[in-house]
């Protein structure tokens, strides 16, 4: 029971963080209210929707958990209030933290759902990554820019991959599902936080100097 | 029987209007013939396809109604002829009118199909919006621009939302499905036409002045 | 048995060629390692995935054939080595050849799968085209450019259409499935190679001179 509650809190935090990132990006692009709402929705629900479609899961997770949709609606409606109040460095750190939590939980939930559906490890890792990353990719495509996760040279997708591998490894070693999930989430979220704090860079693509 | 015929006429009009909008956009972007065809297809069938995939409806609506595909093919093949003849203000008004009809019908058909599939009201409204809007969004993404519905500050998605709410409200009040659908379509299409005629603007996002 | 082997070789070649095209494009856009991997994946598997989702086929083809995923991983990991060695005209020709093979095979496999699923000819052709083209379209969208197949004025999609029509025509004339597929693949791949060698151009859109 308590474990479920913790998961719920993190999942809600992740959804809100992802919705928030879409909202801020849409505002930056000077979209109208409908655009801001739409991008917030897509950022929050894009990854999980693609995962559910690829795994043929019905109903979709946001159909099953409508409260998430209402949550994003409430977030968008109240955004002007607290955007005015909290626009300083503290908030950006809080955003990065929530986003890292979302990354970890979305990746592990995606991989777990795929494993539960009988998918092999490789596919489970891919589904974890898709769940964690696709919302942000779609957000950037709709905002007409190259997806940030593909060219900001900061580890993000990699953290999701490592977390999913830890999850599957722990399960293969006989750990309980709960413990494996916690280990996976901590690895993904933790490595992302370390990457942000210490400004880790992905190695440049070897051929990159010779192109362009 | 007669009601079905009216619906069919409007649906065909909407499909053609959406295909047309894609065709014109692709021509503006100087695409080749294949690009013009492809964008016309995507604009006409994108929204309904995503709706069907999300609701897991098989076969897809354009597989069931192949005549729609042929219609768009015919439209694209004959486009050069009547583009030459009719390029004046009258046509633009006709386009806006057909597009508004398409908006209303696609939104209401999406919401009705979702309700029939047992979806709750919130999801039904979202499906209505997706059906009405997603074709145009994909068109703009493929043409490498920010979707117009997100940043032209004119009510479009909102008209779809209002129409879907009227549909569900009328049904909840005990009106027949046919009457509720007509009410929803008239609301969505009518409000869109009013918005175009009187040049209504969406309110700007409150925080927008302080960003960018 | 032997026929299956030939198909496998071509399919692997096509997957690698498509992955390669994504890889090169991502490098050109100065993406990081994760971006290069992601675009390579999307280019190789995008078309088939959309086909499988639209036809409601489960499991997806790359879930069934995990070796394809590993192949693309291996390709991306070793890419720096042979990109350094082979960057000259010969390789570009080899790329065009492999890409043409991929085009033919992906188109025919898409159309065959659709026919086997009981789809009518028009839908089968559309599925063939989607399978062959969608990976490249998604690659270009993620790289924030108008899809090349829509505006480079060189026949590509058309070759896929012609190949699918030949496949269906041959089957309708009573040829065996194997023979029909070979005829379709040869037509699509062959016409694409001819188009590249002789630099065929698609006719410009008739209204194009008067727009823009």
């Amino acid at each position: 029971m308590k474990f479920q509650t913790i998961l719920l809190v993190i999942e809600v935090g992740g959804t809100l963080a992802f919705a928030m990132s879409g909202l801020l990006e849409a505002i930056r692009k000077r979209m109208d209210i409908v655009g801001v709402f739409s991008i917030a929705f897509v950022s929050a629900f894009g990854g999980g929707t693609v995962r559910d479609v690829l795994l043929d899961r019905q109903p979709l997770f946001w159909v099953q958990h409508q409260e998430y949709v209402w949550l994003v609606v409430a977030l968008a409606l109240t955004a002007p209030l607290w955007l005015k109040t909290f626009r300083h460095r503290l908030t950006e750190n809080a955003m990065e933290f929530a986003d890292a939590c979302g990354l970890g939980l979305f990746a592990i939930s995606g991989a777990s759902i795929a494993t539960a559906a009988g998918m092999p490890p490789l596919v489970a890792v891919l589904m974890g990554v898709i769940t964690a990353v696709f919302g942000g990719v779609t957000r950037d495509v709709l905002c007409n820019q190259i997806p940030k996760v593909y060219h900001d040279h900061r580890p993000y997708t990699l953290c999701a991959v490592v977390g999913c591998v830890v999850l599957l490894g722990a399960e293969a070693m006989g750990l309980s599902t709960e413990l494996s999930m916690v280990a996976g989430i901590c690895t993904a979220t933790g490595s992302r936080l370390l990457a942000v704090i210490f400004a880790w860079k992905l190695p440049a693509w070897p051929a990159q100097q010779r192109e362009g």
Side-chain angles (χ1 to χ4, degrees), chain A residues 120-195:
Chain A
L122 175 67
V123 176
V125 171
L126 287 177
M127 288 297 166
V129 169
I130 288 171
T131 309
V133 169
F134 207 87
V137 167
T138 315
R139 175 198 66 210
D140 292 344
V141 165
L142 290 178
C143 290
N144 198 20
Q145 54 200 14
I146 293 182
K148 252 176 230 137
V149 292
Y150 293 166
H151 78 135
D152 73 351
H153 293 263
R154 289 170 56 197
Y156 189 91
T157 313
L158 257 190
C159 302
V161 171
V162 172
C164 292
V165 168
V166 166
L167 165 79
L168 297 174
E171 278 188 336
M173 280 163 53
L175 283 192
S176 71
T177 306
E178 281 83 6
L179 263 182
S180 305
M181 287 182 71
V182 170
I185 294 171
C186 290
T187 307
T189 299
S191 61
R192 172 63 185 169
L193 287 178
L194 290 175

Side-chain angles (χ1 to χ4, degrees), chain A residues 40-71:
Chain A
F41 270 119
V42 165
S43 307
F45 301 123
T49 302
V50 171
R51 175 201 63 207
D52 286 353
V53 166
L54 292 183
L55 290 175
D56 208 14
R57 291 178 80 223
Q58 284 287 333
L60 301 177
F61 80 104
W62 49 268
V63 171
Q64 226 172 357
H65 295 288
Q66 279 185 67
E67 57 274 19
Y68 289 177
V69 179
W70 286 117
L71 209 65

